[in-house]
Amino acid sequence: MKKHILTLIFAALFCVSNAYATKEFEDLAEIEGVDYIYISKAMLKNVSEVSILDGFDLGHITSSLSSLEILECDLCDTQKDLNKIRKTITKFASNMELLTKTKEEGTTVYIYSRSDKGNMTDLLIVEDEETEVYVIYIKGDIDEKAIKELSIF
């Protein structure tokens, strides 16, 4: 996963404020082995290419997004830490609609969304492996047609 977010890490180095970051994700970043990245709307407007997963380039829709958050736990020390992360994410996603759930070779991918008046406003992508968890949370005016064209759907 690290190789997939190098572009975002570079962008995050220039991001100085995370006042609108999701509190739950920020709190999880306190766990040893968890990496967290927040990218604001202002920063997203300046990024033309955002490749966060194989075939998942957000570059063409970043100007309409409010924020992008990435949580990565691939070096967590204990199963207790992983379970805390899973529990927090499950609670966070509880008021979202599950769009799809895919299981393949020990990896489960969940994609959730939230809509307001028919417009998608939040997209949560969770990749859960036995010893690793990755979360991508996209907030803003999300073009459902553009999202559906991505290879992950």
Side-chain angles (χ1 to χ4, degrees):
M1 177 69 174
K2 284 186 180 181
K3 66 181 179 180
H4 301 292
I5 62 171
L6 290 177
T7 302
L8 293 175
I9 291 171
F10 178 75
L13 292 173
F14 296 101
C15 186
V16 295
S17 171
N18 62 356
Y20 301 106
T22 304
K23 176 96 172 98
E24 293 89 347
F25 296 164
E26 274 191 294
D27 290 346
L28 290 175
E30 297 301 318
I31 297 172
E32 184 73 29
V34 174
D35 295 322
Y36 171 76
I37 299 171
Y38 170 84
I39 303 176
S40 69
K41 181 175 186 163
M43 193 63 196
L44 286 168
K45 286 183 178 180
N46 296 316
V47 178
S48 62
E49 184 177 313
V50 180
S51 182
I52 51 181
L53 292 171
D54 289 333
F56 191 49
D57 180 17
L58 292 174
H60 60 290
I61 63 168
T62 55
S63 64
S64 65
L65 300 181
S66 300
S67 64
L68 175 65
E69 296 178 68
I70 299 173
L71 186 79
E72 176 182 7
C73 178
D74 60 353
L75 300 173
C76 287
D77 290 336
T78 67
Q79 192 64 38
K80 181 180 174 183
D81 290 340
L82 284 167
N83 289 340
K84 179 179 180 179
I85 292 167
R86 289 179 178 116
K87 182 178 178 180
T88 301
I89 292 166
T90 300
K91 183 177 178 183
F92 183 79
S94 66
N95 65 347
M96 301 177 89
E97 177 184 0
L98 178 63
L99 297 179
T100 186
K101 176 181 175 180
T102 307
K103 288 186 176 189
E104 183 178 324
E105 297 179 14
T107 300
T108 305
V109 177
Y110 304 88
I111 301 176
Y112 299 90
S113 75
R114 182 180 302 125
S115 297
D116 182 32
K117 299 177 185 169
N119 297 320
M120 188 183 294
T121 58
D122 300 77
L123 188 67
L124 179 69
I125 303 166
V126 181
E127 181 179 318
D128 191 351
E129 300 175 15
E130 186 176 328
T131 60
E132 302 173 354
V133 177
Y134 304 98
V135 180
I136 300 167
Y137 179 49
I138 303 165
K139 189 164 182 65
D141 184 17
I142 302 167
D143 182 353
E144 291 184 49
K145 183 179 177 188
I147 293 294
K148 287 177 183 175
E149 291 174 359
L150 298 172
S151 66
I152 62 169
F153 288 95

